[in-house]
Amino acid sequence: MEALIYSIYQCVTSVRAYGPETVAGPTAATGLHLTTRESPHAIMRGRRTSAVRVQPLTFLQRPLQEKAVRMFTPVVHFALVFNAAASAQTTPATASAATPNGAATYATVPRLEFNRQAVVRNVPLFLVRDADADNTLDPDELAVTWGPGNASLGRYVKDGSFTPEFAAAYALIAQPVSLDGLATAETARRKAVLEELGQGRPTLVRTTLTDARDVQLVAHLESTARIIERLFAKQRGVHGMDSRIPDGDTASSALFFRNQGPFCEAPKTENDPNCSAVAPRPSKVSGMYPASIQADAGFCAALEKRPDAVALLNPFAIVSEKAGGRATGNPATDELVAVPYQVAYADDMKAVSNELRSAAALLAGDPSEAAFKAYLEAAAQAFLDGSWFKADVAWKAMTATNSKWYLRVAPDEVYEDPCSRKANFAVTFARINQESLEWQRRLEPVKDDMEAALATLAGPPYKARQVGFALPDFIDIVLNAGDSRSALGATVGQSLPNWGPVAESGGRTVAMTNLYTDPDSEAASIEQARSVMCKATADRVDHSPRFMTMSTVLHEAAHNLGPSHEYRVDGKKDGEVFGGPLATTLEELKAQTAALYFSDWLAARGVLSKEDAQNSHLLDVLWAFGHIAAGMVDAQGRPKPYSQLAAIQMGFLNQRGVLVWNAAEKAANGKDTGCFDVDLAKWPAAVDDLARLTFGIKSRGDRALAEKTRDAYVTDGTKWAELRGVIEQRWERAPRASFVYSLQ
């Protein structure tokens, strides 16, 4: 039956796959409607497909499409009814039924289960909410999610009713996955894939476009995002691997799209040798260095010691073997060259440039979007000639006061690079949220004082400088792609760029304020908190997203304060002093420690209330627990910067008696034994000391102390490591947010 239902779905969807897709809205209407589903915890700051050509149906194809839909409609309904009878005991209340007038209705699979199964079945559907509380899925309760295909809501809902294609999709979602008849190894692989997907909770970011020009603009940026996903896949060395997924294995296809590759990333499965979207499980080989040198586990360190290290480790170039040169797999002696991205990925870079120029052309003559147009044009040129720093100037000039949009399309963060040196391609597209202007009003008068305070804590040789950063803009995400689209969790704050004159002058900082705000997620975060905190502490926590936003603002602002990426010790930047991975961890540790410090600092100056500052402390503890639960290293043994900084902070506070473990006391949920209390009276003094330690390491370039500090709180075999294990075990009971996007 599963094979029959899947075949029906494939046939119906393949017939529709080449249909014209249009999005329209009243031209007089303006703006976006954005909604999200998730909560503000277990999240990331800073940091986390082939293009599809839409072809209209010819006059010969249209009758075939209509005939096919008519032919499959009764079969779909037969499958639904037959499946309901065959699985009545295992899948109750999931099949369609007939109303008196003969129309099909859908007694829904529970909402969260529907959304999980839609992912497993690789169907781009999301049940937003049961608006009328009738336990039946209605057409106006459905959203179509963004993905590698070209699905639109019109394929599933037409004239206020569900289409035959939806009937086929619903049947597939309602049918449990069967692994019958598979070989033992393949069964183990697919079970691991299902477990990987099950650790994510699909979380919707929905955008409704109502202005005709916006529809056209977003179409070009969607196309840009698809090309960026392909570029990112090439950087990760996974492009084309999805062709190895067996036909009908929807879960593996879903994993490959969600994780942007075949590898598992969720805590319970990232180290499972069976967990992979393809068989056999491939080795991780970056696309930005020759595969031969990556066989040496120390190849990054070897590259850093070469006389041509500066050129080879340029963030905007791949490393390639020199044509005709020595290539023995030795990273220290092989003849290697740096190839700029615009040369290495020429076709894709030109395609991105064309889409951005087309988007810019739509804004011609509109003075209200002149800054946005200028950035689109500058970015388009950078994709052709590598003028990233020039594009940064135009990007920073686009502000919350001169555009309703936020866009960043560029190679930026280095977390996915095994050497933490190469910038990965990403798209972050959003709508400006004007509430950021209130935070700017609060912090603008004290930003120089914040720099002076941080410089005092850091000590010599660092000296306070005049900071030129603009305080974080608040943005409501529309779409993330490439390196900014994480499998689990999402970036909620970011300061960019990481290099160049704009970075040195303070860059631009944004906080993503429409993520992690829905009731389901708040309930999940409360449950997690009460599983690890003692009742006295848990009862004090206010889970309002505004406190997490405040902490994000301070974290991102701090990236522009004190010794940052561009600061030099004896002429060397932090990557040269500490090595790429440790430098990344230290910069994030600096920013998050500053967030812990400045909340009390601002309260003492009347910018915040003491109560708000203390509540932000509790949410910062929960934020840290979420990252500790993700483990200290990834499946390849590479450090996870946020997890390690969280372990350092919480371990330090544990040693100083701020984070107190009560082994015999019941947690606030009344079930788990052993829990944490937070002694807020001891917080300020302990955080002052942590700030002096962290900022001082950066100021002096003290690699030995940095490694000693990291190892004290990150390594296994300690009492603190045991407590980290408790946090991980309890926290990971709940699935993490896995964001999906809908544009209509």
Side-chain angles (χ1 to χ4, degrees):
M1 176 51 63
E2 177 180 6
L4 170 62
I5 292 174
Y6 182 68
S7 297
I8 293 169
Y9 177 70
Q10 279 194 311
C11 289
V12 176
T13 55
S14 65
V15 169
R16 299 290 303 276
Y18 295 100
E21 303 222 350
T22 60
V23 182
T27 56
T30 59
L32 298 173
H33 172 67
L34 299 111
T35 59
T36 60
R37 311 194 63 79
E38 246 297 356
S39 92
H41 307 299
I43 53 181
M44 294 182 68
R45 294 192 181 92
R47 331 194 324 213
R48 208 245 217 124
T49 308
S50 300
V52 177
R53 183 170 59 248
V54 179
Q55 295 178 275
L57 292 173
T58 67
F59 73 96
L60 290 175
Q61 290 171 314
R62 289 186 190 279
L64 292 175
Q65 178 203 44
E66 294 168 359
K67 179 180 178 182
V69 171
R70 288 196 301 271
M71 177 178 66
F72 281 113
T73 298
V75 180
V76 168
H77 288 295
F78 164 77
L80 287 167
V81 174
F82 183 87
N83 181 53
S87 58
Q89 294 184 357
T90 57
T91 55
T94 58
S96 65
T99 62
N101 64 9
T105 62
Y106 300 92
T108 59
V109 179
R111 183 173 60 84
L112 295 178
E113 182 63 19
F114 179 95
N115 294 332
R116 283 192 291 264
Q117 283 300 109
V119 170
V120 168
R121 291 305 195 169
N122 204 29
V123 175
L125 296 177
F126 191 98
L127 174 51
V128 181
R129 62 191 180 98
D130 185 11
D132 53 8
D134 64 351
N135 295 318
T136 299
L137 197 162
D138 300 318
D140 61 354
E141 298 169 347
L142 194 69
V144 171
T145 57
W146 186 83
N150 60 347
S152 71
L153 188 60
R155 285 172 52 175
Y156 301 98
V157 176
K158 184 177 182 180
D159 298 327
S161 300
F162 289 120
T163 66
E165 186 165 346
F166 174 77
Y170 188 89
L172 192 63
I173 289 169
Q175 177 73 9
V177 173
S178 173
L179 303 181
D180 294 343
L182 298 175
T184 301
E186 181 66 2
T187 297
R189 185 187 71 80
R190 295 202 190 189
K191 284 183 177 179
V193 166
L194 292 172
E195 185 178 10
E196 163 77 9
L197 293 175
Q199 293 170 76
R201 182 174 66 249
T203 303
L204 183 68
V205 179
R206 188 183 191 186
T207 302
T208 301
L209 299 163
T210 57
D211 178 80
R213 188 184 72 175
D214 288 349
V215 171
Q216 293 178 285
L217 177 73
V218 171
H220 287 298
L221 296 180
E222 276 195 84
S223 297
T224 298
R226 296 184 193 283
I227 303 166
I228 290 295
E229 297 246 316
R230 184 165 66 240
L231 278 165
F232 185 48
K234 291 178 179 179
Q235 289 183 302
R236 299 189 79 197
V238 301
H239 179 60
M241 284 189 185
D242 54 337
S243 64
R244 294 163 50 186
I245 297 173
D247 291 341
D249 183 3
T250 60
S252 292
S253 294
L255 186 155
F256 197 98
F257 172 71
R258 190 194 78 173
N259 293 17
Q260 299 194 73
F263 308 108
C264 294
E265 298 184 16
K268 296 178 183 177
T269 43
E270 65 175 337
N271 295 312
D272 184 346
N274 294 312
C275 199
S276 170
V278 299
R281 184 189 192 193
S283 300
K284 273 198 172 183
V285 179
S286 171
M288 293 187 284
Y289 306 88
S292 60
I293 70 170
Q294 294 181 61
D296 183 340
F299 84 94
C300 294
L303 292 178
E304 290 174 356
K305 295 175 183 177
R306 288 173 59 118
D308 55 354
V310 173
L312 293 180
L313 296 177
N314 182 311
F316 307 119
I318 70 167
V319 177
S320 181
E321 293 169 345
K322 183 179 180 180
R326 181 173 57 254
T328 64
N330 188 326
T333 60
D334 279 4
E335 294 185 70
L336 305 172
V337 293
V339 182
Y341 286 168
Q342 67 269 20
V343 176
Y345 307 122
D347 290 343
D348 288 329
M349 302 289 275
K350 291 175 183 176
V352 170
S353 180
N354 290 338
E355 292 292 345
L356 295 176
R357 290 192 189 281
S358 296
L362 293 171
L363 303 177
D366 182 357
S368 70
E369 291 296 347
F372 186 29
K373 179 176 181 290
Y375 172 59
L376 287 166
E377 292 171 339
Q381 188 60 37
F383 274 84
L384 296 181
D385 62 12
S387 54
W388 305 113
F389 295 164
K390 289 183 180 179
D392 288 341
V393 173
W395 174 72
K396 186 175 181 180
M398 182 178 59
T399 69
T401 60
N402 63 20
S403 178
K404 69 179 182 181
W405 300 106
Y406 172 87
L407 176 69
R408 178 73 182 179
V409 51
D412 278 316
E413 304 287 19
V414 300
Y415 304 115
E416 283 295 326
D417 174 46
C419 298
S420 296
R421 293 301 191 104
K422 303 297 181 182
N424 290 282
F425 286 100
V427 169
T428 300
F429 179 45
R431 180 70 181 266
I432 291 291
N433 181 330
Q434 294 296 325
E435 291 180 11
S436 60
L437 298 178
E438 170 60 20
W439 270 105
Q440 292 189 21
R441 184 191 65 78
R442 288 192 192 186
L443 297 186
E444 182 69 28
V446 297
K447 67 180 182 181
D448 288 331
D449 292 339
M450 293 169 72
E451 165 68 7
L454 198 153
T456 299
L457 291 166
Y462 183 76
K463 296 180 181 180
R465 56 192 169 88
Q466 185 174 5
V467 291
F469 72 90
L471 294 167
D473 292 325
F474 288 4
I475 61 174
D476 290 333
I477 292 294
V478 174
L479 179 65
N480 286 325
D483 190 38
S484 65
R485 183 173 69 82
S486 303
L488 300 170
T491 300
V492 296
Q494 195 168 41
S495 290
L496 293 171
N498 289 320
W499 306 275
V502 173
E504 292 175 4
S505 67
R508 184 181 181 188
T509 302
V510 293
M512 294 72 168
T513 50
N514 68 328
L515 303 180
Y516 298 100
T517 56
D518 69 294
D520 289 343
S521 301
E522 183 171 331
S525 67
I526 291 172
E527 180 182 351
Q528 287 175 314
R530 296 183 75 82
S531 74
V532 292
M533 284 182 162
C534 301
K535 189 175 187 303
T537 293
D539 287 348
R540 287 182 291 172
V541 179
D542 182 343
H543 291 266
S544 171
R546 71 185 180 90
F547 294 111
M548 208 67 234
T549 298
M550 180 180 75
S551 185
T552 301
V553 166
L554 296 177
H555 174 108
E556 296 305 329
H559 277 305
N560 302 290
L561 300 172
S564 58
H565 281 306
E566 296 298 313
Y567 173 69
R568 297 173 186 266
V569 177
D570 296 330
K572 296 181 179 180
K573 296 182 181 180
D574 63 350
E576 300 169 90
V577 173
F578 299 107
L582 182 56
T584 299
T585 298
L586 286 172
E587 175 58 24
E588 296 301 333
L589 175 62
K590 180 203 81 174
Q592 183 58 14
T593 300
L596 304 187
Y597 172 81
F598 278 124
S599 51
D600 282 325
W601 186 91
L602 290 168
R605 285 154 182 79
V607 179
L608 302 176
S609 70
K610 181 179 179 180
E611 292 75 17
D612 282 359
Q614 291 189 338
N615 201 68
S616 74
H617 297 335
L618 297 177
L619 289 188
D620 281 329
V621 169
L622 294 176
W623 178 89
F625 284 176
H627 283 292
I628 288 170
M632 297 297 106
V633 297
D634 65 14
Q636 285 67 50
R638 296 180 302 182
K640 294 182 177 180
Y642 296 99
S643 297
Q644 295 202 359
L645 81 84
I648 292 168
Q649 286 187 333
M650 295 302 107
F652 187 94
L653 294 181
N654 176 248
Q655 279 190 341
R656 294 295 300 271
V658 177
L659 186 66
V660 181
W661 175 250
N662 298 320
E665 185 175 344
K666 284 284 187 182
N669 63 7
K671 301 175 183 178
D672 293 295
T673 301
C675 56
F676 288 101
D677 264 326
V678 179
D679 188 340
L680 291 174
K682 296 180 179 179
W683 183 283
V687 169
D688 282 3
D689 289 345
L690 176 62
R692 288 188 183 90
L693 172 67
T694 302
F695 305 160
I697 287 172
K698 292 271 289 182
S699 172
R700 300 185 301 275
D702 193 339
R703 182 166 185 164
L705 183 56
E707 292 173 342
K708 179 181 178 181
T709 301
R710 175 199 61 194
D711 294 345
Y713 301 111
V714 168
T715 55
D716 294 332
T718 66
K719 180 62 177 177
W720 172 236
E722 292 178 13
L723 293 178
R724 295 199 326 257
V726 173
I727 295 168
E728 180 175 352
Q729 184 271 325
R730 297 184 191 177
W731 206 266
E732 293 304 329
R733 293 171 186 164
R736 293 183 64 192
S738 179
F739 285 98
V740 295
Y741 304 88
S742 177
L743 299 90
Q744 59 190 60

